[in-house]
Amino acid sequence: MTVLTKHLIRMALGLATIISFLWSMLGVIRSPHYFVPGTGLFMFGLSIAYTLSVWDKIPFASANLHTALQATGSSLTVLGVAFATQIVALICTIIYVFASTGVYDHFQITNSVDTRLRVAVYIGFGLSYYWTIQTMGNVMQVCIASYINCWWFRPNLNSSERLKAIGESLNRVVIYSFGSVCFGSLFVGLTNILHKLGENIRPNREEAAMQSLVVVQEWIVSWVDSVFSIFHKFAFSYVGMYGYDFLEAGKKANTLFQKRGWGEIVADDLLGNIMLLLSIVIGGMCGCLSVIIDHSQRAPSTPKISSMVSFSIGFVVGLVLSNMLFSVITSSANAVVVCFAGSPVEFQRNHPECSHVMREAWRKSWPGFVDFVEKEGQRSSSKSPGHPKFKRESLESLFV
């Protein structure tokens, strides 16, 4: 498992590059519009550029992924929850496609509807669909975080106890924390975008030519940072682990990371970006296949459907379903980071191999940021029996 994890992220980036290339080639061969091959070529170039830019950070993400897969792999029920969520997401996507198509046909027949009202209805459909899909994915994230928190502190659970733990976590999120999940799902995506844009305009007083512009930039960036400190993805992990409401969970998670000095680390969402990139190229490939099927299977008497519509439907379905499945990985990694920040001593005690792999990779990528683990471990060992130790030489360079 450890050796496979070492190469898994590189394989994902390579797969994204290959799929985007096939996307562009199929678009050139079968699509009558330049949009399909054009977007494929754009994603092909983006995949190569992103791979080169993050290549040195892959060992760090691989170590987090290793622990996440160890945790989720301890119970196949977690994958069952993911596949069930995929099925529900597919059903919702089909319902929204038929509903939006029916509304569009109604607007085409009824010319009395104002254009602004039509635009408002389409925006409402899009927002509703986005909110629904985000809520599904975050329900799964909260459920997985609750299970990983249990795995973190109780490593010797048998299969029936693991199944019970997942059932209890799913019950809590659906009954007690569903409102928090829905509330956070509406805003976290937007705040992530604002935070990434804010990083691009973060001012530098030494290089700035206009100090008045720097003041405006600082105000904008500080406002975005204050919002992002509450509305972020790790808040869902806190909701699942401790049952806080979303706002309280966001504040406590941010306080924990600030205490550890991990603000820059957690903001660098390498694994999440890679999974999103892979989801987009899978969606693009599904869109190409949708165009090919539409052109080859359509009867002569059937009204012609635009290639753009066929591509869009296939793209959305492929993007949503693949992203829902990959959410298992990103959700697990997020929960692992939260647990590692809050309870590193228990991690070393209960899962010494995973602890060693993560600490070695973090030391190399972020020197000095995990020194507190040794200090807390020494304080804990002076008060309790010695922890099981893991032999360093067997995994010393696995993630280098």
Side-chain angles (χ1 to χ4, degrees):
M1 172 69 78
T2 306
V3 177
L4 175 63
T5 310
K6 177 184 177 181
H7 302 287
L8 199 57
I9 293 182
R10 292 186 175 93
M11 291 168 59
L13 289 170
L15 184 62
T17 304
I18 294 173
I19 293 177
S20 58
F21 177 76
L22 294 176
W23 169 3
S24 60
M25 291 299 99
L26 285 176
V28 170
I29 297 172
R30 300 303 299 266
S31 176
H33 300 284
Y34 292 109
F35 174 79
V36 177
T39 51
L41 286 173
F42 172 77
M43 290 306 303
F44 176 66
L46 181 63
S47 300
I48 295 176
Y50 188 73
T51 300
L52 295 176
S53 65
V54 303
W55 193 259
D56 294 337
K57 299 180 181 179
I58 289 179
F60 164 75
S62 297
N64 299 341
L65 179 61
H66 168 71
T67 301
L69 293 180
Q70 289 284 353
T72 55
S74 63
S75 177
L76 296 179
T77 310
V78 175
L79 297 179
V81 173
F83 285 121
T85 307
Q86 264 195 319
I87 295 173
V88 176
L90 177 60
I91 294 173
C92 288
T93 302
I94 294 173
I95 292 174
Y96 271 94
V97 168
F98 277 103
S100 58
T101 303
V103 170
Y104 174 80
D105 291 340
H106 176 73
F107 286 161
Q108 293 298 107
I109 297 173
T110 308
N111 295 324
S112 59
V113 181
D114 185 67
T115 303
R116 288 176 294 182
L117 179 59
R118 296 186 183 189
V119 173
V121 170
Y122 293 142
I123 293 176
F125 262 105
L127 180 61
S128 175
Y129 178 71
Y130 166 80
W131 195 5
T132 301
I133 295 301
Q134 287 292 108
T135 301
M136 290 181 186
N138 290 325
V139 164
M140 183 173 61
Q141 178 174 348
V142 172
C143 179
I144 291 175
S146 178
Y147 172 73
I148 288 182
N149 188 53
C150 181
W151 172 85
W152 197 271
F153 294 96
R154 301 168 61 190
N156 299 320
L157 294 177
N158 57 41
S159 57
S160 61
E161 290 174 331
R162 291 169 183 166
L163 181 61
K164 182 180 178 181
I166 295 175
E168 290 177 349
S169 63
L170 189 60
N171 179 68
R172 284 196 301 271
V173 65
V174 172
I175 296 178
Y176 299 104
S177 302
F178 191 69
S180 295
V181 174
C182 292
F183 177 69
S185 299
L186 184 60
F187 296 106
V188 167
L190 177 61
T191 56
N192 282 336
I193 295 175
L194 291 176
H195 185 258
K196 292 182 184 299
L197 294 176
E199 290 299 317
N200 295 325
I201 65 170
R202 193 172 293 276
N204 187 342
R205 285 187 174 272
E206 296 179 357
E207 299 179 0
M210 298 177 61
Q211 293 300 317
S212 59
L213 181 60
V214 172
V215 173
V216 175
Q217 288 178 301
E218 287 180 343
W219 181 84
I220 295 175
V221 171
S222 63
W223 179 82
V224 171
D225 288 342
S226 64
V227 174
F228 185 72
S229 65
I230 301 175
F231 293 93
H232 52 84
K233 60 184 180 179
F234 295 101
F236 293 110
S237 299
Y238 248 73
V239 170
M241 292 176 182
Y242 307 112
Y244 295 117
D245 64 83
F246 185 83
L247 294 178
E248 187 69 16
K251 293 176 183 178
K252 287 185 176 294
N254 183 69
T255 301
L256 173 63
F257 292 138
Q258 293 301 324
K259 176 183 176 182
R260 300 303 189 193
W262 289 5
E264 184 181 357
I265 298 177
V266 298
D268 186 16
D269 188 18
L270 175 58
L271 188 58
N273 291 337
I274 293 174
M275 294 298 104
L276 177 60
L277 176 65
L278 191 56
S279 297
I280 291 174
V281 297
I282 290 176
M285 195 64 181
C286 291
C288 290
L289 295 177
S290 179
V291 171
I292 294 173
I293 294 173
D294 175 54
H295 282 267
S296 61
Q297 299 296 326
R298 185 175 58 241
S301 59
T302 305
K304 185 177 180 180
I305 302 177
S306 171
S307 297
M308 289 287 295
V309 175
S310 301
F311 177 82
S312 299
I313 294 175
F315 175 80
V316 170
V317 172
L319 173 65
V320 169
L321 296 185
S322 59
N323 189 60
M324 197 68 66
L325 184 60
F326 294 149
S327 292
V328 177
I329 298 175
T330 55
S331 301
S332 304
N334 293 342
V336 164
V337 171
V338 172
C339 289
F340 188 48
S343 306
V345 176
E346 290 79 1
F347 188 33
Q348 173 63 25
R349 179 188 303 124
N350 298 326
H351 307 280
E353 176 188 344
C354 295
S355 175
H356 168 72
V357 169
M358 284 192 64
R359 284 187 288 112
E360 291 300 319
W362 281 55
R363 283 196 187 98
K364 290 178 173 62
S365 299
W366 301 93
F369 282 89
V370 291
D371 292 343
F372 71 92
V373 178
E374 301 293 343
K375 296 178 182 178
E376 293 189 6
Q378 291 174 1
R379 288 198 300 266
S380 177
S381 61
S382 63
K383 301 178 182 179
S384 61
H387 302 157
K389 294 185 177 181
F390 185 76
K391 293 183 179 180
R392 285 181 167 231
E393 58 271 17
S394 59
L395 289 172
E396 182 67 37
S397 60
L398 276 175
F399 294 98
V400 179

